[in-house]
């Protein structure tokens, strides 16, 4: 997408703001009325090197555009549709925005995305939510990310596409929250290379390299490789992480209309001082604990080491009549080695230092293999004198997760003598495998068909359906490796998920849209009897207005959504404190009456002037149980996100400045065990708060730039999670990072 076409005819175009379209006025006025510090017409972070012109990538690639929006996205329907033509609420986190935010992890990117709430149980378990529900559908290039995966590093990706609401047509799991699709960078037909060095607070050091080059004279064969290495400590005591992530990808135009892609990527995370839970909210006498933000009741050797390796390949073939066929396959192998001890149980006595108890988890190497397939054909057809589009496909995968049997040798007591002087200096447990094992095999696959009918010049309708089959069982083997039996069997056959969407073009800039889909989501949660809960079901409806301005350089939307979901897994509060299932999980219960979530959402992304990029949005969420009680209490009712950057000219040429902010209303979690010492039921609250970030970058000549990011500028104290085992997880204090990047 070109970013250089001027909106104004005067030489001072960088200094004058064209009147905003009416939709933007309406959206911004509504946001201002939402009681959430509307003065935050923020700005964001940035890399100030000249834009790189990227050739050889798909039309939706955002790398090198210097833009905060995208021309099209395919995650919702696999059809080549612009954001305005897609009948759902969508956001695209472009490569420029990722770089400006300094977002090197997925959670850092989603923490600045419209409608997405980021939670954290401990150092290694991060969760995402939207529209009242958890996000379970996370993909890479349209395929499931795979189980047992570490938190993804963003160096591999051109963009992150987020579809809010249900998208069961493509994936079989119609979660009404959102689908997150990370789209890999692709090789280019011209040579380009970049390198970077990033240093941040808490001894955080990261190096990056990215090279793309043609491998023959005409660029019909091309390759790309990216690599990042990071070592960091943390504001949390004892925590340290080593991470290596990389990718190599090859594209070849075998003949006109035929492209073969093959590649692999990997990510190895080795944390030490990892936590397994949060810090207590209450003292033993019921007073507030007010633990410092650096508090960690872990050990120096506690680890959730994780390795993930993926090989992927695809063939794209153009057919007569502008039809295309895509065949894709990816295999992900991941393994983890978990040995962790953490004092997450009990309540502290600040007078004596007693009251805290250790949890210990020590297991052998767990392995998970995922095989995923993706086949579809799409193209135009003519009916009744009008041109339409159709797609037919099948996708799915098999997952095999293996865990070893055995016992851990633990040579320390569970009780901590004095938490005030805790150093974690205890012997590391040793896991002794006994030869037994269990393998959980899960299959989820289905076929789908959809068509986009052009009923009239301004009216387009998308109708389709998916038929999905789900099966899961656990196969148990004794110490001699002999098969014993099968347990935890669950199966759903030929579950049909319909989808319908309509887009009406009011004019060349504005469109009205509506979409409907049913929900189907097999559950992995179990009840107190160790049985799987029934699948989640329901429906999702969304209506909205979208606008596309300045030849697609600026996109805006306003949406109303309504979701009804049944059989949602909730914590079973009837079990005694500390009750765990055989696999170490918590007992859950299905909310048969269901939850209703409804709300309103605004989103804005792209250029306001040729020098001014903006991205952000506002979400209002009202989630309620069947009896009217508030549901999804850990998700805010009001959530505002804004990011912006401005490129200076004249005497300040080469300088870019930006800022970003997030503001949310109050949340709370109901206590799991009640407030000590009486055990009375009460809430653990998180008050409303706002976070502000700043960015500045400067071009050091033609091929280098330096960038400064300051996150949590005001050093706001806030919780990233409330209520997990009656604990709280502190958000990160003020952090400062400096990045030096160069291009070749």
């Amino acid at each position: 997408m070109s970013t250089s076409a001027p909106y104004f005819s005067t030489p001072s175009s960088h200094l004058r703001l064209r009147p905003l379209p009416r939709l933007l006025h309406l959206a911004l006025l509504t946001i201002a009325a939402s009681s959430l510090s509307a003065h935050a017409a923020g700005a964001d972070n940035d890399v100030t090197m000249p834009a790189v012109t990227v050739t050889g990538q798909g039309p939706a690639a955002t790398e090198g555009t210097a833009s905060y929006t995208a021309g099209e996205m395919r995650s919702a329907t696999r059809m080549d549709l612009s954001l305005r033509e897609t009948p759902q609420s969508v956001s695209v986190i472009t490569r420029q925005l990722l770089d400006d935010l300094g977002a090197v992890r997925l959670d850092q990117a989603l923490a600045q995305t419209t409608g997405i709430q980021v939670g954290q149980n401990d150092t290694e378990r991060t969760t995402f939510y939207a529209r009242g529900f958890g996000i379970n559908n996370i993909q890479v290039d349209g395929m499931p990310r795979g189980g047992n995966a570490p938190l993804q590093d963003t160096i591999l990706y051109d963009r992150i596409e987020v579809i809010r609401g249900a998208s069961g047509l493509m994936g079989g799991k119609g979660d009404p929250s959102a689908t997150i699709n990370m789209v890999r960078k692709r090789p280019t037909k011209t040579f380009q290379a970049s390198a970077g060095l990033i240093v941040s607070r808490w001894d955080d050091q990261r190096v990056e390299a990215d090279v793309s080059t043609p491998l023959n004279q005409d660029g019909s064969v091309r390759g790309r490789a990216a690599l990042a290495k990071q070592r960091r400590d943390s504001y949390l005591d004892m925590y340290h992480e080593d991470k290596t992530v990389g990718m190599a990808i090859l594209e070849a135009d075998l003949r006109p209309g035929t492209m073969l892609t093959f590649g692999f990527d990997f990510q190895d995370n080795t944390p030490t001082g990892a936590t397994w839970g949060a810090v207590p909210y209450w003292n033993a006498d019921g007073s507030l604990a007010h633990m410092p933000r650096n508090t960690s009741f872990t050990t120096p050797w506690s680890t959730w080491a994780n390795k993930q390796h993926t090989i992927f390949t695809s063939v794209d073939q153009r057919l007569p009549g502008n039809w295309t066929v895509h065949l894709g396959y990816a295999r992900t192998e991941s393994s983890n080695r978990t040995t962790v001890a953490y004092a997450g149980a009990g309540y502290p006595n600040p007078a004596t230092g007693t009251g805290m108890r250790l949890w210990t988890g020590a297991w052998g190497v767990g392995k998970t293999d995922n095989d995923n397939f993706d086949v579809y054909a799409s193209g135009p057809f003519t009916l009744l004198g009008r041109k339409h589009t159709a797609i037919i496909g099948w996708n799915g995968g098999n997952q095999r997760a293996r865990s070893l049997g055995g016992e851990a040798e633990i040579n320390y007591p569970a009780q901590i003598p004095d938490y005030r002087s805790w150093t974690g200096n205890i012997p590391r447990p040793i896991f002794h495998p006994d030869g037994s094992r269990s393998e959980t095999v899960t299959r989820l696959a289905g076929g789908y068909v959809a068509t986009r009918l052009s009923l009239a010049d301004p009216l387009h309708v998308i109708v389709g359906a998916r038929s999905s089959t789900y099966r899961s069982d656990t196969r148990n083997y004794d110490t001699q490796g002999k098969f014993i039996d099968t347990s935890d069997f669950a199966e759903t056959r030929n579950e049909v998920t319909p989808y319908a969407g309509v887009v009406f073009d009011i004019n060349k800039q504005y469109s009205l849209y509506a979409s409907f889909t049913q929900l189907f989501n097999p559950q992995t949660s179990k009840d107190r009897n160790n049985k799987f809960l029934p699948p989640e079901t329901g429906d999702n409806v969304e209506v909205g207005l979208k606008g596309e301005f300045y030849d697609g350089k600026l996109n805006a939307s306003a949406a109303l959504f309504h979701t009804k979901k049944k059989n949602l897994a909730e914590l079973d509060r009837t079990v005694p404190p500390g009750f765990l299932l055989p696999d170490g999980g918590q007992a859950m219960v299905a909310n048969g009456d269901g939850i209703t979530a409804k709300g309103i959402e605004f989103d804005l992304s792209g250029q306001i002037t040729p020098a001014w990029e903006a991205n952000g949005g506002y979400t209002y969420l009202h989630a309620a149980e069947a009896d009217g009680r508030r549901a999804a209490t850990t998700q805010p009712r009001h959530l505002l996100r804004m990011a912006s950057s401005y490129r200076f000219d004249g005497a300040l040429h080469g300088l870019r400045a930006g800022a970003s902010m997030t503001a949310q209303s109050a949340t709370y979690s109901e206590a799991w065990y009640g407030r000590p010492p009486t055990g009375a039921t009460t809430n653990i609250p998180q008050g409303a708060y706002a976070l502000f970030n700043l960015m500045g970058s400067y071009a050091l000549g033609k091929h280098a730039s330096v960038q400064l990011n300051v996150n949590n500028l005001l050093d706001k104290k806030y919780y990233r999670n409330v209520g997990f085992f009656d604990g709280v997880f502190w958000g990160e204090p003020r952090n400062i990072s400096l990045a030096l990047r160069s291009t070749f």
Side-chain angles (χ1 to χ4, degrees):
M1 181 191 310
S2 171
T3 59
S4 60
Y7 303 145
F8 320 107
S9 58
T10 63
S12 58
S13 62
H14 286 184
L15 303 178
R16 293 177 54 198
L17 175 61
R18 180 177 180 174
L20 291 174
R22 288 187 178 183
L23 174 62
L24 300 190
H25 281 299
L26 176 62
L28 294 175
L29 286 173
T30 305
I31 292 173
S34 70
S35 75
L36 276 179
S37 61
H39 67 280
D44 179 4
N45 335 34
D46 159 48
V47 179
T48 58
M49 290 178 288
V52 178
T53 301
V54 180
T55 59
Q57 300 197 93
T62 68
E63 184 184 19
T65 66
S67 176
Y68 281 8
T69 195
E72 65 182 46
M73 60 93 66
R74 310 180 74 243
S75 298
T77 64
R78 294 285 170 84
M79 302 179 190
D80 293 328
L81 303 177
S82 68
L83 273 62
R84 183 164 69 97
E85 294 170 327
T86 303
Q88 286 185 251
S89 183
V90 298
S91 295
V92 179
I93 311 164
T94 65
R95 186 66 251 176
Q96 184 68 56
L97 183 56
L98 288 171
D99 290 339
D100 287 356
L101 293 172
V104 299
R105 299 193 312 267
L106 178 62
D107 64 323
Q108 294 172 328
L110 295 181
Q112 198 57 51
T113 302
T114 299
I116 305 299
Q117 179 76 4
V118 179
Q120 195 159 0
N121 294 337
D122 43 46
T123 58
E124 310 308 312
R125 290 184 292 179
T126 303
T127 52
F128 307 116
Y129 305 89
R131 297 187 174 184
F133 305 98
I135 299 174
N136 301 305
N137 195 356
I138 300 179
Q139 306 172 349
V140 177
D141 283 348
M143 292 188 179
R145 179 183 60 169
N148 213 25
L151 192 61
Q152 298 293 293
D153 194 284
T154 63
I155 190 176
L156 307 182
Y157 306 114
D158 172 82
R159 62 195 181 277
I160 301 172
E161 299 179 346
V162 178
I163 308 102
R164 288 178 292 277
S167 57
L169 183 64
M170 292 296 107
K173 291 186 176 182
D175 285 336
S177 51
T179 296
I180 299 166
N181 184 25
M182 297 169 284
V183 182
R184 292 184 181 96
K185 297 174 179 176
R186 310 296 291 216
T188 57
K189 289 187 176 181
T190 58
F191 176 82
Q192 66 177 53
S194 64
L197 170 65
I198 306 172
V199 293
S200 306
R201 192 180 176 187
W202 305 298
D203 199 24
D204 187 343
Q205 304 169 33
R206 177 184 174 93
V207 292
E208 301 175 344
D210 187 348
V211 179
S212 183
T213 183
L215 299 177
N216 60 358
Q217 188 171 3
D218 63 359
S220 61
V221 182
R222 49 203 175 270
R224 186 164 191 165
L227 182 69
K229 175 71 175 178
Q230 185 171 4
R231 294 179 177 177
R232 66 184 181 100
D233 293 335
S234 168
Y235 65 98
L236 291 170
D237 291 343
M238 291 183 266
Y239 187 79
H240 176 80
E241 181 190 57
D242 280 351
K243 176 172 66 174
T244 306
V245 57
M247 174 182 70
I249 183 171
L250 177 71
E251 281 185 353
D253 300 323
L254 301 182
R255 61 180 183 179
T258 304
M259 184 174 73
L260 171 67
T261 302
F262 178 80
F264 73 92
D265 62 44
F266 68 92
Q267 182 167 329
D268 295 351
N269 286 26
T270 307
T272 54
T275 66
W276 194 18
V279 295
Y281 183 70
W282 289 299
N283 288 320
D285 61 3
S287 62
L288 300 185
H290 289 305
M291 294 284 182
R293 285 184 287 186
N294 63 303
T295 302
S296 178
F297 297 130
T298 186
T299 72
W301 44 258
S302 289
T303 184
W304 298 57
N306 193 301
K307 295 182 178 181
Q308 177 179 282
H309 298 175
T310 300
I311 60 171
F312 54 92
T313 186
S314 65
V315 176
D316 293 275
Q317 176 67 55
R318 287 203 303 266
L319 301 176
N322 289 325
W323 273 70
T324 60
V325 174
H326 173 87
L327 296 90
Y329 168 75
R331 178 176 175 84
T332 298
E333 298 180 354
S334 57
S335 63
N336 65 358
R337 183 184 295 273
T338 303
T339 305
V340 62
Y342 187 77
Y347 301 99
N349 184 329
T352 64
T354 59
M356 299 300 295
R357 302 187 310 277
L358 287 164
W359 292 321
T360 297
W363 298 278
V365 177
K367 294 184 178 181
T368 301
D369 299 332
N370 279 76
D371 292 284
N372 291 290
F373 306 87
D374 189 14
V375 180
Y376 62 87
S378 64
F381 67 96
T382 301
L383 179 65
L384 300 178
R386 304 192 66 86
K387 183 175 286 187
H388 316 279
T389 304
I391 184 169
I392 182 170
W394 179 91
N395 58 21
N398 300 329
Q399 174 180 285
R400 184 181 297 269
R402 186 187 73 174
S403 59
L404 301 180
E407 293 186 358
E409 179 183 338
I410 302 173
N411 296 315
Y412 51 80
Q415 295 287 342
I416 290 182
D418 189 340
Y419 75 88
R420 297 169 301 181
S421 57
W422 175 252
T423 63
N425 186 22
I426 55 177
R428 179 171 180 161
I430 301 174
F431 178 77
H432 298 289
D434 60 13
S436 65
R437 73 181 192 277
S438 63
E439 294 182 355
T440 298
V441 180
T442 303
R443 298 184 179 94
L444 177 62
Y448 59 89
V449 60
T451 182
R452 183 176 187 263
L453 301 173
S454 179
L455 302 183
D457 287 344
L459 181 61
H460 307 276
V461 175
I462 298 176
V463 291
R466 178 184 179 88
S467 178
S468 301
T469 296
Y470 171 84
R471 176 189 170 100
S472 180
D473 61 68
T474 299
R475 302 166 188 181
N476 304 302
Y477 299 84
D478 64 16
T479 57
Q480 305 302 314
K482 182 180 179 180
F483 174 77
I484 303 175
D485 58 18
T486 298
S487 59
D488 297 337
F489 178 79
E491 184 178 42
T492 303
R493 288 183 174 273
N494 303 321
E495 181 73 24
V496 177
T497 306
Y499 177 90
V502 58
V503 178
F504 180 78
D505 296 330
I506 301 173
N507 53 35
K508 293 183 178 181
Q509 289 185 319
Y510 295 99
S511 297
L512 289 169
Y513 76 92
S515 61
F516 167 84
T517 188
Q518 289 185 341
L519 311 177
F520 164 69
N521 185 21
Q523 299 206 66
T524 57
S525 299
K526 297 180 181 179
D527 62 18
R528 61 188 302 162
N529 298 315
N530 203 36
K531 301 297 184 183
F532 285 115
L533 300 183
E536 297 171 341
T537 59
D539 53 61
N540 182 86
V541 178
E542 181 176 325
V543 297
L545 174 67
K546 291 190 177 185
E548 183 182 79
F549 314 101
Y550 314 140
D551 296 324
K553 296 182 179 66
L554 180 66
N555 287 279
S557 66
L560 298 171
F561 59 88
H562 184 282
T563 300
K564 176 72 174 181
K565 190 174 186 180
K566 296 182 179 180
N567 295 331
L568 190 70
E570 296 180 348
L571 185 70
D572 187 348
R573 300 181 185 276
T574 65
V575 299
F579 177 88
L580 295 176
L581 298 174
D583 62 1
Q586 281 92 39
M588 308 298 283
V589 62
N591 181 342
D593 293 331
I595 287 177
T596 299
K598 56 187 176 180
I600 186 171
E601 200 165 60
F602 296 98
D603 189 77
L604 169 73
S605 63
Q607 289 187 4
I608 297 178
T609 77
W612 184 8
E613 295 283 342
N615 183 292
Y618 163 76
T619 301
Y620 169 74
L621 171 67
H622 184 276
E625 304 279 359
D627 60 5
R629 292 181 297 113
R630 180 178 174 181
T633 60
T634 59
Q635 296 182 56
R637 283 190 167 170
H638 302 274
L639 179 61
L640 175 66
R641 297 266 168 76
M642 294 297 294
S644 185
S645 65
Y646 188 85
R647 183 178 67 253
F648 291 88
D649 208 345
L652 297 178
H653 179 73
L655 175 65
R656 292 185 68 191
S660 60
M661 66 88 65
T662 184
Q664 69 171 58
S665 56
T667 62
Y668 67 89
S669 175
E670 186 176 290
W672 287 23
Y673 310 126
R675 184 170 186 165
T678 64
T681 301
T682 187
N683 295 331
I684 300 177
Q686 164 64 73
Y689 66 89
L691 304 175
F692 299 90
N693 313 310
L694 292 180
M695 180 279 302
S697 71
Y698 187 74
L700 303 174
K702 194 173 182 180
H703 298 289
S705 71
V706 61
Q707 177 173 314
L708 179 70
N709 286 78
V710 182
N711 293 332
N712 194 0
L713 176 68
L714 303 181
D715 201 24
K716 177 68 177 180
K717 291 185 176 181
Y718 69 100
Y719 300 131
R720 207 170 183 184
N721 182 294
V722 292
F724 186 62
F725 282 93
D726 288 349
V728 290
F729 194 96
W730 285 108
E732 187 177 78
R734 182 191 298 117
N735 192 2
I736 301 173
S737 65
L738 183 67
L740 178 64
R741 293 189 174 95
S742 60
T743 59
F744 308 95

